[in-house]
Coordinates of all heavy atoms in Angstrom, one line a residue:
R252 N -138.8 37.3 12.2 CA -138.2 38.3 11.4 C -138.3 39.6 12.2 O -139.4 40.1 12.4 CB -138.8 38.4 10.0 CG -138.0 39.4 9.1 CD -138.6 39.5 7.7 NE -139.7 40.5 7.6 CZ -140.0 41.1 6.5 NH1 -139.3 41.0 5.4 NH2 -141.0 42.0 6.5
L253 N -137.1 40.2 12.5 CA -137.1 41.5 13.1 C -137.0 42.6 12.1 O -136.4 42.4 11.1 CB -135.9 41.5 14.1 CG -135.7 40.4 15.1 CD1 -134.5 40.7 16.0 CD2 -137.0 40.3 16.0
S254 N -137.6 43.7 12.4 CA -137.5 44.9 11.6 C -137.0 46.0 12.4 O -137.2 46.1 13.6 CB -138.9 45.2 11.0 OG -139.5 44.2 10.2
C255 N -136.3 46.9 11.7 CA -135.8 48.1 12.3 C -136.1 49.2 11.3 O -135.4 49.4 10.3 CB -134.2 48.0 12.5 SG -133.5 49.6 13.0
A256 N -137.0 50.1 11.7 CA -137.4 51.2 10.9 C -136.9 52.5 11.4 O -137.0 52.8 12.6 CB -139.0 51.3 10.9
A257 N -136.2 53.2 10.5 CA -135.6 54.5 10.8 C -136.6 55.6 10.4 O -137.1 55.6 9.3 CB -134.3 54.6 10.2
S258 N -136.8 56.6 11.3 CA -137.6 57.7 11.0 C -136.9 59.0 11.3 O -136.0 59.0 12.1 CB -138.9 57.6 11.8 OG -138.7 57.7 13.2
G259 N -137.3 60.1 10.6 CA -136.7 61.3 10.8 C -136.2 61.9 9.4 O -136.6 61.3 8.4
S260 N -135.4 62.9 9.4 CA -134.9 63.5 8.2 C -133.7 62.8 7.7 O -132.6 63.2 7.8 CB -134.6 65.0 8.4 OG -135.7 65.7 8.9
I261 N -133.9 61.6 7.2 CA -132.9 60.7 6.8 C -132.4 60.9 5.3 O -133.3 60.9 4.4 CB -133.3 59.2 7.0 CG1 -133.6 59.0 8.5 CG2 -132.2 58.3 6.5 CD1 -134.3 57.7 8.8
E262 N -131.1 61.1 5.1 CA -130.6 61.2 3.8 C -130.2 59.9 3.3 O -130.4 59.5 2.1 CB -129.5 62.3 3.7 CG -130.0 63.7 4.1 CD -128.9 64.7 4.2 OE1 -127.8 64.4 3.7 OE2 -129.0 65.7 4.9
S263 N -129.5 59.1 4.2 CA -129.1 57.8 3.8 C -128.7 57.0 5.0 O -128.3 57.6 6.0 CB -127.9 57.8 2.8 OG -126.7 58.3 3.4
M264 N -128.9 55.7 4.9 CA -128.4 54.8 6.0 C -127.2 54.1 5.5 O -127.2 53.5 4.4 CB -129.5 53.8 6.3 CG -130.8 54.4 6.9 SD -132.2 53.2 6.8 CE -131.6 51.8 7.5
N265 N -126.1 54.2 6.3 CA -124.8 53.6 5.9 C -124.8 52.2 6.5 O -125.6 51.3 6.3 CB -123.7 54.5 6.3 CG -123.6 55.7 5.4 OD1 -124.5 55.9 4.6 ND2 -122.5 56.4 5.5
V266 N -123.8 51.9 7.3 CA -123.6 50.7 7.9 C -124.8 50.5 9.0 O -125.0 51.3 9.8 CB -122.3 50.5 8.7 CG1 -122.2 49.2 9.4 CG2 -121.2 50.7 7.7
M267 N -125.4 49.3 8.9 CA -126.5 49.0 9.8 C -126.2 47.7 10.4 O -125.7 46.7 9.7 CB -127.9 48.9 9.1 CG -128.3 50.3 8.5 SD -128.5 51.6 9.7 CE -129.9 51.0 10.6
R268 N -126.5 47.5 11.7 CA -126.1 46.3 12.4 C -127.2 45.9 13.4 O -128.0 46.7 13.8 CB -124.8 46.5 13.3 CG -123.6 46.8 12.4 CD -122.4 47.2 13.3 NE -121.2 47.6 12.5 CZ -120.3 48.4 13.0 NH1 -120.3 48.9 14.2 NH2 -119.2 48.6 12.2
W269 N -127.2 44.6 13.7 CA -128.0 44.0 14.8 C -127.1 43.5 15.8 O -126.1 42.8 15.5 CB -128.9 42.9 14.3 CG -130.0 43.3 13.4 CD1 -130.1 43.4 12.1 CD2 -131.3 43.8 13.9 NE1 -131.4 43.8 11.7 CE2 -132.1 44.1 12.8 CE3 -131.9 43.9 15.2 CZ2 -133.4 44.5 12.9 CZ3 -133.1 44.4 15.3 CH2 -133.9 44.6 14.2
Y270 N -127.4 43.9 17.1 CA -126.7 43.4 18.2 C -127.7 42.7 19.1 O -128.9 42.8 18.9 CB -126.1 44.6 19.1 CG -124.8 45.2 18.5 CD1 -125.0 46.1 17.5 CD2 -123.6 44.9 18.9 CE1 -123.8 46.7 16.9 CE2 -122.4 45.5 18.4 CZ -122.6 46.4 17.4 OH -121.5 47.0 16.9
R271 N -127.2 41.9 20.0 CA -128.0 41.3 21.0 C -127.4 41.2 22.4 O -126.1 41.2 22.5 CB -128.5 39.9 20.6 CG -127.4 38.8 20.6 CD -127.9 37.5 20.0 NE -126.9 36.5 20.0 CZ -127.0 35.3 19.4 NH1 -128.2 35.0 18.8 NH2 -126.1 34.4 19.4
Q272 N -128.2 41.2 23.4 CA -127.6 41.1 24.8 C -128.5 40.2 25.6 O -129.7 40.5 25.8 CB -127.6 42.5 25.4 CG -126.9 42.5 26.8 CD -126.6 43.9 27.2 OE1 -127.2 44.9 26.8 NE2 -125.6 44.0 28.2
A273 N -127.9 39.1 26.0 CA -128.6 38.1 26.9 C -128.4 38.5 28.3 O -127.4 39.2 28.7 CB -128.1 36.7 26.6
P274 N -129.3 38.1 29.2 CA -129.1 38.4 30.6 C -127.7 38.0 31.2 O -127.3 36.9 31.0 CB -130.2 37.6 31.3 CG -131.2 37.4 30.3 CD -130.5 37.3 29.0
G275 N -127.1 39.0 31.8 CA -125.8 38.7 32.4 C -124.6 38.6 31.5 O -123.5 38.3 31.9
K276 N -124.9 38.9 30.2 CA -123.8 38.9 29.2 C -123.6 40.2 28.5 O -124.5 41.1 28.6 CB -124.1 37.8 28.1 CG -124.2 36.4 28.7 CD -124.3 35.4 27.5 CE -124.3 34.0 28.0 NZ -124.4 33.0 26.9
Q277 N -122.5 40.4 27.9 CA -122.2 41.6 27.2 C -123.0 41.6 25.8 O -123.3 40.6 25.3 CB -120.7 41.7 26.9 CG -119.9 42.0 28.1 CD -118.4 42.4 27.8 OE1 -117.9 41.9 26.8 NE2 -117.8 43.2 28.6
R278 N -123.2 42.9 25.4 CA -123.8 43.0 24.1 C -122.9 42.5 23.0 O -121.7 42.8 23.1 CB -124.2 44.5 23.9 CG -125.2 44.7 22.7 CD -125.7 46.2 22.7 NE -126.5 46.5 23.9 CZ -127.2 47.6 24.0 NH1 -127.2 48.5 23.1 NH2 -127.9 47.8 25.1

Side-chain angles (χ1 to χ4, degrees):
R252 189 176 83 152
L253 305 183
S254 299
C255 170
S258 63
S260 301
I261 297 167
E262 295 172 22
S263 68
M264 293 165 53
N265 287 9
V266 176
M267 298 298 294
R268 298 172 180 155
W269 285 96
Y270 286 80
R271 68 185 180 187
Q272 187 166 20
K276 294 188 176 181
Q277 289 190 328
R278 193 170 295 190

